[in-house]
Amino acid sequence: NPGQYNIKLVVQNAAGRDSLIRNQYITIYAKPTVNFSTSVTAGCYPMTVNFTDLSTAGSGTINGWQWDFGDGTTQTTTTPVVNHTYISYGDFIPKLILEDPAGCIIPLAGIDTIYAIGALADFGWDDSLFCDRGLVNFTDSTTANDPIIGYNWTFGDGGVSVQQNPSYFYASPGLYTVSLQVNTQSGCSNTF
């Protein structure tokens, strides 16, 4: 328990007994109580979250903050407020580690999970090369943690499609830039 403690030493032998008292010789400091809040807990990635330390210092002060954002990145700071941007979708559990003046480390895993929602658009196509024109089969390989509700393809020659796995006929020879935009149920979108 925190507080100041008196220590008494008693020694005794055949000749007698003696004691020594040291008043308030040991001091045990109250450790910090760790707590923090987040500005948001869910949203489309990339998602910026404002983390605010709500910890109380205990008997001393808080000398340092180390944030672990749960996505493989950390930040050590001398201020109790940080911003972090989640650049991929997933579920992340942030942590805060405090250091008090005595060098004691006090960790806290976040009570809220950060849900970065979205999709990572991706696609492939058949590997055929055509001399003058041809039909190309595109295959969606998007990954997501939110249901995909829309596909928007552009084929580089003015053609478009909303199918998941379209086939497209190129009428003229050339090099074409193809893009796929996916939209999720929560209103997130991503383009490849």
Side-chain angles (χ1 to χ4, degrees):
N1 293 319
Q4 291 187 316
Y5 295 90
N6 302 330
I7 304 297
K8 180 178 182 180
L9 172 64
V10 179
V11 294
Q12 180 176 332
N13 63 14
R17 176 181 176 165
D18 194 14
S19 65
L20 174 67
I21 297 176
R22 299 275 171 108
N23 291 319
Q24 299 179 351
Y25 190 66
I26 301 292
T27 301
I28 304 297
Y29 295 105
K31 67 181 181 180
T33 302
V34 185
N35 191 14
F36 66 89
S37 67
T38 58
S39 57
V40 295
T41 57
C44 297
Y45 87 93
M47 180 177 74
T48 299
V49 180
N50 185 7
F51 292 88
T52 303
D53 176 37
L54 302 175
S55 304
T56 55
S59 296
T61 58
I62 297 172
N63 285 7
W65 293 264
Q66 181 174 340
W67 297 90
D68 179 338
F69 301 109
D71 62 352
T73 60
T74 60
Q75 182 177 345
T76 301
T77 180
T78 56
T79 60
V81 177
V82 296
N83 291 326
H84 178 69
T85 300
Y86 290 89
I87 59 172
S88 64
Y89 69 84
D91 302 341
F92 308 100
I93 299 176
K95 299 174 183 69
L96 171 60
I97 301 169
L98 299 180
E99 183 177 339
D100 71 8
C104 296
I105 304 297
I106 301 95
L108 173 75
I111 49 177
D112 288 327
T113 299
I114 302 296
Y115 299 101
I117 302 166
L120 182 60
D122 196 5
F123 64 86
W125 59 94
D126 54 22
D127 290 333
S128 302
L129 295 176
F130 307 99
C131 294
D132 55 358
R133 60 185 178 194
L135 185 68
V136 180
N137 298 308
F138 293 95
T139 305
D140 168 49
S141 54
T142 299
T143 58
N145 68 349
D146 192 28
I148 297 171
I149 60 169
Y151 298 88
N152 296 305
W153 295 84
T154 59
F155 298 111
D157 65 349
V160 296
S161 175
V162 294
Q163 296 177 345
Q164 182 178 0
N165 298 301
S167 294
Y168 187 74
F169 183 78
Y170 286 94
S172 301
L175 296 174
Y176 299 97
T177 299
V178 179
S179 71
L180 167 63
Q181 178 190 45
V182 294
N183 301 305
T184 71
Q185 187 173 14
S186 298
C188 306
S189 67
N190 186 255
T191 302
F192 175 72

